[in-house]
Amino acid sequence: MRSLLFVPGDSDRKIAKALAAGADALILDLEDSVTADRKAAAREMTRDFIASVKPRERRPRLYVRINSLATEDWSADLDGVVPAGPDGIMLPKPRSGEDVHRLSLALGHGEERAGLVQGATRIAAIATELPVCLLNMGSFVDASTRLEALTWGAEDLSAEVGSAATREAGGAFTSPYRLARDLCLFTAVAAGAQPIDTVFIDFRDQDGLRAEAAAAARDGFTGKLAIHPDQVEIINAAFTPSQREIERARGIVAMFAASPEAGVISLNGQMYDRPHLTRAKRLLERAGVAGRD
Ligand code: COA
Ligand code: MG
């Protein structure tokens, strides 16, 4: 999943536009973009949308962001949407991996009631919205085999902390939010989950988005959240390995294949050892996912 586009779950207009955006995943939102009096309608609209899109052969992955486990809404959210068989549930504001485990158990019950395959519904967690969660990041490793992706957020975290801003004047994240981002990256990789970079809320600033997505891809994130359809193409491009990168990775794989005994190889004045091979293989895997073999 290179691009994951948030779509408010109670908006007819945005739901109607969502498929055309070209995102690898849609996240139908039942949480912050939906007011309390619209939650019930949003569950129904989201369920109907998933049921209608699911049978299509070519479609994005369909995620639903539920309300946090600290609310009274989350189990009604699951009851409302799980029967339609979403590919995954996005969990906001977990306190630790224990919340992922709790969600996983609830999904198991929901799947059983709906006659779905056990374990089919995956989980993406937003791991940095509560300060306490940053102290518990290790608990996401082995939290659940359903955990497919881990992402992070600066907005809710800054509201909790009381920071006046999350970014420097030039746009770079300030130190506390860089820590949240970096911990998300390491934790996701340690948990065997996809690291997904956070939203870029200034959706008219395409250059800013392009730079932030490129930096995320450079550092090891493999996707980024989007809030507006115009952001999708830029994000997809940033996380699609270029032809040059693919050729370079193929060259490294071929070199090691030609010398299976060698631990280290030199090419054009550069040293290549096993970590380079691992990275090259991973890039080729992602290139396959991105449909550019
Ligand atoms: N998904 C699908 N369609 C969207 C969309 C989205 N996230 N954001 C905008 N669109 C649609 C609009 O409805 C509009 O189509 P319309 O004229 O047929 O209604 C078109 O794209 C152009 O939108 P635009 O006028 O540029 O933006 P806007 O002012 O309508 O909306 C936001 C701006 C930020 C309110 C909107 O992008 C949005 O709701 N984003 C998601 C917010 C969210 O889910 N937040 C929670 C996670 S942080
Ligand atoms: Mg939020």
Side-chain angles (χ1 to χ4, degrees):
M1 299 185 282
R2 296 164 300 174
S3 52
L4 301 88
L5 174 63
F6 274 112
V7 185
D10 68 334
S11 167
D12 270 328
R13 292 182 79 109
K14 289 171 191 162
I15 287 177
K17 289 236 151 134
L19 284 175
D24 289 347
L26 300 176
I27 307 165
L28 282 298
D29 188 26
L30 303 178
E31 199 215 10
D32 286 346
S33 70
V34 179
T35 54
D37 60 321
R38 297 281 297 161
K39 299 276 188 205
R43 286 175 197 127
E44 215 168 290
M45 291 165 70
T46 294
R47 181 182 56 227
D48 291 349
F49 177 73
I50 293 170
S52 73
V53 174
K54 218 159 165 216
R56 296 191 186 198
E57 211 165 284
R58 284 187 58 81
R59 63 168 177 82
R61 286 178 70 71
L62 300 169
Y63 258 83
V64 179
R65 181 167 74 170
I66 60 169
N67 289 277
S68 93
L69 301 195
T71 66
E72 294 186 344
D73 292 309
W74 73 278
S75 46
D77 292 341
L78 289 188
D79 291 345
V81 303
V82 167
D87 297 301
I89 298 296
M90 177 168 272
L91 178 65
K93 305 179 181 73
R95 292 176 54 83
S96 71
E98 180 61 26
D99 279 353
V100 171
H101 180 63
R102 274 178 69 200
L103 172 60
S104 175
L105 295 180
L107 284 172
H109 294 304
E111 286 166 345
E112 186 167 30
R113 277 197 297 272
L116 297 167
V117 176
Q118 281 291 311
T121 323
R122 309 297 302 278
I123 296 173
I126 314 179
T128 68
E129 292 188 304
L130 299 178
V132 69
C133 198
L134 288 166
L135 307 178
N136 288 329
M137 293 296 269
S139 62
F140 285 98
V141 180
D142 299 327
S144 166
T145 53
R146 294 181 193 267
L147 189 66
E148 177 175 36
L150 211 62
T151 185
W152 70 284
E155 301 308 317
D156 287 276
L157 184 59
S158 67
E160 291 283 330
V161 172
S163 310
T166 61
R167 292 177 184 265
E168 312 278 2
F173 278 109
T174 58
S175 169
Y177 301 94
R178 284 204 302 274
L179 176 71
R181 171 190 185 273
D182 297 352
L183 279 176
C184 169
L185 175 64
F186 289 125
T187 308
V189 175
Q194 202 192 325
I196 306 281
D197 194 28
T198 194
V199 293
F200 186 78
I201 56 177
D202 188 358
F203 60 86
R204 306 277 183 229
D205 177 6
Q206 305 220 320
D207 290 339
L209 172 65
R210 199 171 289 113
E212 189 161 288
R218 174 202 63 201
D219 289 349
F221 287 93
T222 54
K224 187 168 175 65
L225 301 175
I227 51 161
H228 191 284
D230 289 353
Q231 296 186 316
V232 168
E233 204 181 310
I234 293 171
I235 293 176
N236 283 348
F239 293 97
T240 304
S242 70
Q243 207 51 49
R244 223 172 127 230
E245 288 171 313
I246 292 172
E247 271 155 30
R248 199 163 157 269
R250 282 200 173 122
I252 293 170
V253 170
M255 256 180 355
F256 277 97
S259 324
E261 307 301 313
V264 60
I265 288 175
S266 87
L267 177 75
N268 299 333
Q270 294 264 330
M271 180 208 78
Y272 294 95
D273 59 5
R274 293 284 143 179
H276 295 96
L277 178 60
T278 307
R279 205 152 67 205
K281 283 184 175 165
R282 215 181 274 153
L283 183 133
L284 292 175
E285 231 170 75
R286 275 199 301 124
V289 170
R292 298 191 34 158
D293 201 20

